[in-house]
């Protein structure tokens, strides 16, 4: 950038300081801003949050998030967070709103506008539209007395803080506060709705996150594939079951169909003898094997396998085997 007489210069002391000191100073300034944001919850910001949350919960439509510049980038992320956590939401670019995108806004929706100064010119048509058609308007700004602040039904009044930019120009601390306030809004709505990990998976079926949210029931082999023998079965028949189902083990069930033991390759080696095949399975099995519930997260099952160094878990419901899960099933699905 060409330095002019009107362009504030970065202080020489900052240019010459060690790199880590510059990084540390930036983070310290932004941390101070976050501390101010937390303190503001005890005042007007907290009042605004309560009104905003109740207004969004009462809305029959969506949350339409809008903003310009860096505030727009933060708004786009906020809309994505809301949508992925159970609050229907979308982002409307402030500059495009005046060229037809206002048509996506209905009286059932809530408008959420971000502007640090509250004087963003591109928001003026959105504000007029909200007032004309009685669309609830929530503002996130540091200036409650701004054009946007005065027009809004609810103001989330952010504290005025020092930008980490040494020139005080590049949005840094200010956008961090907008982001944090938006996250707080979204998470509070999530918690009040009782939005669970299972609900979250509905909106995140792909990638590593989707794999982490898979349940045992999504990956386990069903009842027809489960290697099982009854208590009292001779080991000769149990060995056929182990070989036929190809999991390297078989479960042992009692007269009520409940899992009481497991016979593994290791059990066979430990009890190897000339008359092994004539023994009943209960003399060879390991009693009370580890199990997993079908509705548990697959990642939890993998953790259990890793800690105990086993490769197979029976999935049981009220003690009755309903499936079997191999560690290879988890790895193929990308569960880590």
């Amino acid at each position: 950038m060409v330095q002019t007489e009107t362009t504030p210069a970065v202080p020489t002391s900052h240019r010459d300081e060690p790199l880590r000191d510059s990084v540390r100073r930036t983070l310290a300034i932004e941390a101070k801003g976050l501390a101010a944001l937390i303190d503001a919850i005890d005042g007007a910001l907290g009042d605004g949050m309560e009104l905003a949350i109740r207004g969004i919960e009462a809305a029959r439509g969506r949350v339409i998030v809008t903003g310009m510049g860096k505030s727009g980038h933060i708004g786009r992320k906020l809309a994505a967070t809301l949508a992925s956590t159970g609050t229907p939401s979308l982002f409307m670019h402030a500059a495009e709103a005046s060229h037809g995108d206002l048509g996506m806004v209905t009286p059932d929706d809530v408008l959420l506008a971000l502007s640090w100064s509250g004087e963003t010119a591109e928001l003026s048509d959105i504000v007029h539209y909200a007032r004309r058609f009685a669309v609830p308007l929530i503002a996130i700004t540091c200036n409650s007395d701004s054009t946007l602040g005065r027009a809004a039904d609810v103001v989330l009044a952010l504290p005025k803080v020092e930008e980490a930019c040494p020139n005080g120009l590049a949005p840094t601390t200010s956008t961090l506060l907008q982001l944090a306030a938006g996250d707080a809004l979204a998470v509070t709505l999530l918690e009040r709705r009782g939005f669970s990990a299972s609900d979250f998976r509905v909106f995140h079926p792909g990638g590593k996150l989707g794999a982490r949210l898979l349940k045992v029931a999504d990956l386990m082999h069903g009842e027809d594939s489960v290697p099982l023998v009854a208590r009292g079965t001779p080991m000769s028949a149990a060995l056929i079951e182990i070989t036929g189902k190809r999991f390297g083990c078989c479960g042992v069930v009692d007269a009520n169909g409940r899992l009481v033991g497991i016979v593994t390759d290791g059990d066979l080696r430990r009890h190897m003898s000339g008359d092994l095949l004539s023994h009943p399975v209960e003399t060879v099995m390991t009693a009370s094997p580890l199990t997993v519930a079908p509705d548990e997260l697959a990642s939890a099952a993998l953790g259990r396998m890793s800690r105990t160094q086993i490769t197979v878990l029976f999935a049981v419901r009220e003690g009755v085997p309903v499936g079997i899960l191999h560690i290879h099933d988890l790895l193929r699905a990308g569960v880590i």
Side-chain angles (χ1 to χ4, degrees), residues 56-57 59-67 72-93 104-106 108-114 138 140 182-183 185-187 189-190 193 195 203:
I56 292 172
E57 288 178 329
R60 292 178 296 175
R62 306 149 301 171
V63 178
I64 311 295
V65 186
T66 188
H73 292 308
I74 299 299
R76 191 181 296 275
K77 188 270 180 188
L78 174 54
T81 299
L82 287 168
S84 70
T85 54
T87 300
S89 180
L90 56 86
F91 178 76
M92 179 176 66
H93 194 286
M104 68 177 67
V105 183
T106 75
D108 291 333
D109 297 328
V110 174
L111 275 164
L112 179 57
L114 287 79
I138 301 170
I140 299 182
D183 284 345
L185 186 69
V187 171
L189 287 164
L190 175 158
R193 186 177 291 107
F195 196 81
F203 303 127

Side-chain angles (χ1 to χ4, degrees), residues 78-232:
L78 174 54
T81 299
L82 287 168
S84 70
T85 54
T87 300
S89 180
L90 56 86
F91 178 76
M92 179 176 66
H93 194 286
E96 296 292 343
S98 302
H99 299 277
D101 280 5
L102 280 171
M104 68 177 67
V105 183
T106 75
D108 291 333
D109 297 328
V110 174
L111 275 164
L112 179 57
L114 287 79
S115 171
W116 185 250
S117 68
E119 299 295 346
T120 304
E122 289 85 355
L123 291 175
S124 60
D125 287 338
I126 297 173
V127 170
H128 292 318
Y129 187 91
R131 297 286 63 90
R132 178 181 176 186
F133 295 102
V135 180
L137 175 62
I138 301 170
I140 299 182
T141 179
C142 78
N143 188 359
S144 300
D145 196 39
S146 62
T147 301
L148 176 62
R150 291 193 303 271
D153 299 292
V154 177
V155 177
L156 303 186
L158 305 182
K160 296 180 180 180
V161 293
E162 176 189 3
E163 297 284 14
C165 168
N167 296 321
L169 298 175
T172 45
T173 314
S174 57
T175 48
L176 177 64
L177 264 59
Q178 289 177 322
L179 179 64
D183 284 345
L185 186 69
V187 171
T188 303
L189 287 164
L190 175 158
E191 292 174 341
R192 288 171 62 84
R193 186 177 291 107
F195 196 81
S196 67
S198 298
D199 298 321
F200 199 78
R201 181 178 168 246
V202 173
F203 303 127
H204 300 78
K208 288 186 177 180
L209 183 56
R212 285 177 57 196
L213 294 172
L214 287 171
K215 290 188 176 182
V216 170
D218 297 320
L219 299 176
M220 72 183 189
H221 301 266
E223 295 181 34
D224 292 341
S225 302
V226 181
L228 294 174
V229 295
R231 187 196 293 269

Side-chain angles (χ1 to χ4, degrees), residues 258-320:
R258 291 186 174 85
L259 186 71
V260 294
I262 183 173
V263 178
T264 67
D265 293 339
D267 294 316
L268 293 176
R269 289 192 297 271
R270 284 188 292 272
H271 292 84
M272 186 62 67
S273 65
D275 60 348
L276 171 64
L277 297 183
S278 64
H279 289 185
V281 288
E282 57 265 32
T283 64
V284 177
M285 73 181 190
T286 297
S288 303
L290 287 175
T291 61
V292 67
D295 59 352
E296 281 191 59
L297 289 175
S299 56
L302 179 60
R304 196 169 306 165
M305 290 179 178
S306 300
R307 287 191 299 273
T308 56
Q309 296 185 333
I310 61 176
T311 59
V312 174
L313 284 172
F314 282 93
V316 301
R317 185 175 288 115
E318 297 182 354
V320 177

